Short mmCIF file of all heavy atoms in Angstrom, two decimals:
data_model
loop_
_atom_site.label_atom_id
_atom_site.label_comp_id
_atom_site.label_asym_id
_atom_site.label_seq_id
_atom_site.Cartn_x
_atom_site.Cartn_y
_atom_site.Cartn_z
N ILE E 100 -9.70 5.86 -2.63
CA ILE E 100 -8.23 5.69 -2.59
C ILE E 100 -7.91 4.20 -2.22
O ILE E 100 -8.45 3.69 -1.27
CB ILE E 100 -7.59 6.63 -1.60
CG1 ILE E 100 -8.02 8.04 -1.78
CG2 ILE E 100 -6.04 6.48 -1.66
CD1 ILE E 100 -7.44 9.05 -0.74
N SER E 110 -0.17 -10.25 -2.60
CA SER E 110 1.01 -9.59 -2.26
C SER E 110 2.00 -9.93 -3.38
O SER E 110 2.33 -11.03 -3.64
CB SER E 110 1.53 -10.09 -0.87
OG SER E 110 2.73 -9.43 -0.65
N GLU E 113 -0.15 -10.38 -9.45
CA GLU E 113 -0.96 -9.65 -10.48
C GLU E 113 -2.43 -9.70 -10.10
O GLU E 113 -2.93 -10.51 -9.50
CB GLU E 113 -0.69 -10.34 -11.86
CG GLU E 113 0.77 -10.12 -12.41
CD GLU E 113 0.95 -10.74 -13.75
OE1 GLU E 113 -0.03 -11.04 -14.34
OE2 GLU E 113 2.05 -10.84 -14.18
N ASP E 120 -11.17 -6.60 -14.93
CA ASP E 120 -12.10 -6.12 -15.88
C ASP E 120 -13.31 -5.34 -15.26
O ASP E 120 -13.67 -4.29 -15.73
CB ASP E 120 -12.71 -7.37 -16.64
CG ASP E 120 -13.69 -6.94 -17.71
OD1 ASP E 120 -13.34 -6.25 -18.68
OD2 ASP E 120 -14.97 -7.27 -17.54
N TYR E 132 -8.14 6.73 -6.96
CA TYR E 132 -6.68 7.09 -6.70
C TYR E 132 -5.99 5.82 -6.10
O TYR E 132 -6.63 4.94 -5.53
CB TYR E 132 -6.64 8.24 -5.64
CG TYR E 132 -7.35 9.44 -6.08
CD1 TYR E 132 -8.72 9.60 -5.91
CD2 TYR E 132 -6.69 10.55 -6.72
CE1 TYR E 132 -9.47 10.77 -6.24
CE2 TYR E 132 -7.31 11.68 -7.05
CZ TYR E 132 -8.72 11.84 -6.86
OH TYR E 132 -9.36 12.96 -7.27
N GLY E 162 3.48 7.92 -1.55
CA GLY E 162 3.11 9.35 -1.87
C GLY E 162 4.38 10.23 -2.10
O GLY E 162 4.21 11.45 -2.38
N ASN E 163 5.52 9.64 -2.03
CA ASN E 163 6.75 10.41 -2.32
C ASN E 163 7.13 10.45 -3.78
O ASN E 163 8.07 11.09 -4.11
CB ASN E 163 7.92 9.76 -1.49
CG ASN E 163 7.72 9.99 0.08
OD1 ASN E 163 7.72 11.09 0.53
ND2 ASN E 163 7.58 8.85 0.77
N VAL E 175 10.47 12.62 -4.20
CA VAL E 175 11.15 13.02 -2.96
C VAL E 175 12.31 11.85 -2.73
O VAL E 175 12.05 10.74 -2.88
CB VAL E 175 10.23 12.99 -1.71
CG1 VAL E 175 11.07 13.26 -0.51
CG2 VAL E 175 9.16 14.01 -1.89
N GLN E 182 24.52 4.46 10.22
CA GLN E 182 24.22 3.63 11.43
C GLN E 182 22.97 2.87 11.24
O GLN E 182 22.91 1.66 11.69
CB GLN E 182 24.10 4.60 12.61
CG GLN E 182 23.84 3.87 13.96
CD GLN E 182 23.62 4.83 15.10
OE1 GLN E 182 23.49 6.05 14.89
NE2 GLN E 182 23.46 4.33 16.29
N ILE E 190 20.51 -7.00 11.61
CA ILE E 190 19.22 -7.73 11.81
C ILE E 190 19.20 -8.80 10.74
O ILE E 190 18.75 -9.89 11.01
CB ILE E 190 18.06 -6.72 11.71
CG1 ILE E 190 18.01 -5.86 12.98
CG2 ILE E 190 16.77 -7.56 11.53
CD1 ILE E 190 17.14 -4.66 12.80
N ASN E 193 21.32 -11.81 11.54
CA ASN E 193 20.99 -12.47 12.75
C ASN E 193 19.60 -13.04 12.84
O ASN E 193 19.15 -13.72 13.77
CB ASN E 193 21.24 -11.70 13.99
CG ASN E 193 22.81 -11.44 14.26
OD1 ASN E 193 23.50 -12.26 14.72
ND2 ASN E 193 23.22 -10.26 13.77
N ARG E 199 17.31 -16.56 2.21
CA ARG E 199 17.60 -15.26 1.67
C ARG E 199 17.56 -15.32 0.19
O ARG E 199 18.16 -16.26 -0.46
CB ARG E 199 19.05 -14.87 2.10
CG ARG E 199 19.24 -14.80 3.64
CD ARG E 199 18.54 -13.60 4.28
NE ARG E 199 18.90 -13.52 5.68
CZ ARG E 199 18.28 -14.19 6.65
NH1 ARG E 199 17.30 -15.09 6.34
NH2 ARG E 199 18.70 -14.05 7.94
N GLY E 201 18.02 -12.24 -1.88
CA GLY E 201 18.64 -11.19 -2.44
C GLY E 201 17.78 -9.86 -2.46
O GLY E 201 16.58 -9.92 -2.27
N SER E 206 16.22 1.02 -2.05
CA SER E 206 15.91 2.42 -1.97
C SER E 206 14.96 2.80 -3.04
O SER E 206 15.10 2.45 -4.17
CB SER E 206 17.18 3.29 -2.13
OG SER E 206 18.03 3.08 -1.06
N SER E 214 13.61 -6.16 3.66
CA SER E 214 12.99 -7.44 3.75
C SER E 214 13.99 -8.49 4.13
O SER E 214 15.06 -8.60 3.48
CB SER E 214 12.34 -7.79 2.38
OG SER E 214 11.89 -9.21 2.40
N THR E 260 5.92 -9.29 3.77
CA THR E 260 7.31 -9.71 4.09
C THR E 260 8.25 -8.56 4.49
O THR E 260 9.42 -8.87 4.75
CB THR E 260 7.96 -10.57 2.91
OG1 THR E 260 8.05 -9.65 1.79
CG2 THR E 260 7.08 -11.76 2.59
N ILE E 265 10.56 5.61 6.19
CA ILE E 265 10.40 6.91 5.52
C ILE E 265 10.87 8.02 6.49
O ILE E 265 11.04 7.73 7.67
CB ILE E 265 8.90 7.15 5.12
CG1 ILE E 265 8.05 7.10 6.38
CG2 ILE E 265 8.43 6.21 4.09
CD1 ILE E 265 6.63 7.56 6.24
N TYR E 298 -1.80 2.63 8.30
CA TYR E 298 -2.30 3.17 9.56
C TYR E 298 -2.58 4.61 9.54
O TYR E 298 -3.63 5.15 9.80
CB TYR E 298 -1.53 2.73 10.73
CG TYR E 298 -2.02 3.28 12.06
CD1 TYR E 298 -3.10 2.74 12.65
CD2 TYR E 298 -1.30 4.39 12.67
CE1 TYR E 298 -3.59 3.27 13.90
CE2 TYR E 298 -1.75 4.87 13.89
CZ TYR E 298 -2.87 4.27 14.51
OH TYR E 298 -3.36 4.86 15.67
N GLN E 302 -6.13 6.75 9.65
CA GLN E 302 -6.48 7.67 10.65
C GLN E 302 -6.78 9.02 10.14
O GLN E 302 -7.76 9.73 10.57
CB GLN E 302 -5.33 7.79 11.66
CG GLN E 302 -5.02 6.46 12.50
CD GLN E 302 -6.29 5.97 13.23
OE1 GLN E 302 -6.88 6.68 14.01
NE2 GLN E 302 -6.69 4.74 12.95
N GLY E 308 -13.27 12.84 8.04
CA GLY E 308 -14.74 12.53 7.98
C GLY E 308 -15.08 11.43 6.92
O GLY E 308 -16.25 11.23 6.62
N GLY E 309 -14.01 10.80 6.41
CA GLY E 309 -14.27 9.79 5.41
C GLY E 309 -14.41 8.40 6.00
O GLY E 309 -14.46 8.23 7.29
N HIS E 313 -10.91 -1.76 6.18
CA HIS E 313 -9.84 -2.71 6.37
C HIS E 313 -10.20 -4.01 5.75
O HIS E 313 -11.05 -4.72 6.17
CB HIS E 313 -9.58 -2.86 7.83
CG HIS E 313 -8.49 -3.88 8.24
ND1 HIS E 313 -7.15 -3.58 8.06
CD2 HIS E 313 -8.58 -5.24 8.48
CE1 HIS E 313 -6.42 -4.73 8.37
NE2 HIS E 313 -7.35 -5.77 8.61
N THR E 315 -9.04 -7.81 3.99
CA THR E 315 -8.11 -8.91 4.19
C THR E 315 -7.37 -9.46 2.95
O THR E 315 -6.28 -10.00 3.02
CB THR E 315 -8.79 -10.14 4.86
OG1 THR E 315 -9.92 -10.47 4.00
CG2 THR E 315 -9.33 -9.73 6.23
N GLN E 328 -21.70 -0.67 -5.16
CA GLN E 328 -22.35 -0.44 -6.46
C GLN E 328 -23.80 -0.82 -6.43
O GLN E 328 -24.67 -0.20 -6.97
CB GLN E 328 -21.68 -1.23 -7.60
CG GLN E 328 -20.29 -0.60 -8.01
CD GLN E 328 -20.43 0.74 -8.65
OE1 GLN E 328 -20.52 1.72 -7.96
NE2 GLN E 328 -20.42 0.82 -9.91
N GLN E 334 -30.38 3.13 -4.48
CA GLN E 334 -30.58 4.56 -4.20
C GLN E 334 -31.10 5.25 -5.49
O GLN E 334 -32.01 6.14 -5.42
CB GLN E 334 -29.34 5.24 -3.72
CG GLN E 334 -28.95 4.73 -2.33
CD GLN E 334 -27.64 5.25 -1.80
OE1 GLN E 334 -26.84 5.89 -2.61
NE2 GLN E 334 -27.24 5.03 -0.57
#
Side-chain angles (χ1 to χ4, degrees):
I100 306 176
S110 181
E113 295 183 9
D120 181 65
Y132 301 81
N163 291 298
V175 176
Q182 181 186 5
I190 291 166
N193 289 280
R199 303 288 186 274
S206 293
S214 171
T260 64
I265 59 172
Y298 176 76
Q302 295 303 304
H313 173 81
T315 53
Q328 287 294 82
Q334 290 170 354

